[in-house]
Amino acid sequence: MMSFLTNQIPINPSLIKPPLSFPFYTKHSSGATSSLRPKMSSSSSPSSLAAALPENRIVVQGGGNAGNALTCAARLGLNPRLISKVADDAQGRGILEELKADGVDTSFFIVTPEGNSPFTYIIVDNETKTRTCIHTPGYPPLIPEELSKDKLDSALNGSRLAYFDVRLHETALVIAKEATRRNIPILIDAEKKRDGLDELLSFATYVVWTEASSVPKGLLSMLLKLPNVKFVIVTLGEEGCVMLERSVSEAQDLEVMDIDEVLESLKQRAPYHSSTPSSISSSVMKLRADGLGTLSGRLHVGTAEKIPPSELVDTTGAGDAFIGAVLFGVCTNMSPEKMLPFAAQVAACSCRALGARTGLPHLSDPRLVPFLD
């Protein structure tokens, strides 16, 4: 699935993202569910929901990588557009209604009278704060022939950024090629290895990665293989994140440093003891690793908020919230030093409520103000 964003801030961005799922978030403390509850609205407060719902409960709420990230971006002030496909069923209608309520443009959706919309049953364990996902994909899937040239032109018109989560990769590739032809930057959510990931990465300008086998050598390897990528971020959960940013400078007198040593030095200086997200960065240097090569760039380490156990409710969608904030950061020209702590704070807010969207903050949220100064 694909989606686009535009914003109401100074710039006029857009993004593209892949398919959207409709999860059922279930909070368990003893193993049995007791009651079906109405869908949480985007305006529901976490405290009122916590007070109203029993300890064992089922909550129906929109979700999926694309939907979550774009809902986050919309609440931060962007105007997202989403290309996707749903069936004309209860789940599909719920998906569209909830996205519209949060300001996501759903006019580029394909709605089919047959088949089923995607949904996921998510079991959240109250004791361990872990989750189990049981996913049912949408059927029939979106294929390139269903996306008309006029609809694609309209979706891309005025777009500043295209975003893909690598689902429905055949259609995503068609859109990525057209976005590249129009010089629209592309951010790839490389959450996991999916069909079409390698092909889409060849069009990437930015990459957010959640399954790096080796940090930071994996980041260096990716930038060396993908010369058009400006930065790659790997998220590390409660350990924060690491970002490798390519430098446009190729000055010959730059210091040459082993990238593992640089990362270790930054980690030793990073304020992990602080409860507030922050970041620390290297200077521009030539970063190298044995057997890989050398790249001029900067390494950044971002820390995560230390959420008290009593406030941690559900980590579902935290990575999507982080990406939504990165989309906002790219569209508003945030520096990495500001973007990484800001994205970490947005992700932390999302972890304080049940489901992937309930806790997503708006730009006016007092918890975000210190990161926007």
Side-chain angles (χ1 to χ4, degrees), residues 6-24:
T6 57
N7 69 7
Q8 296 171 336
I9 318 178
I11 313 161
N12 180 32
S14 295
L15 37 146
I16 308 171
K17 189 154 178 21
L20 166 68
S21 59
F22 192 65
F24 296 81

Side-chain angles (χ1 to χ4, degrees), residues 49 87 101 113 128 137 161 205 219 277 287 302 341:
L49 286 166
T128 64
L161 180 65
T205 315
L219 308 185
L287 298 160

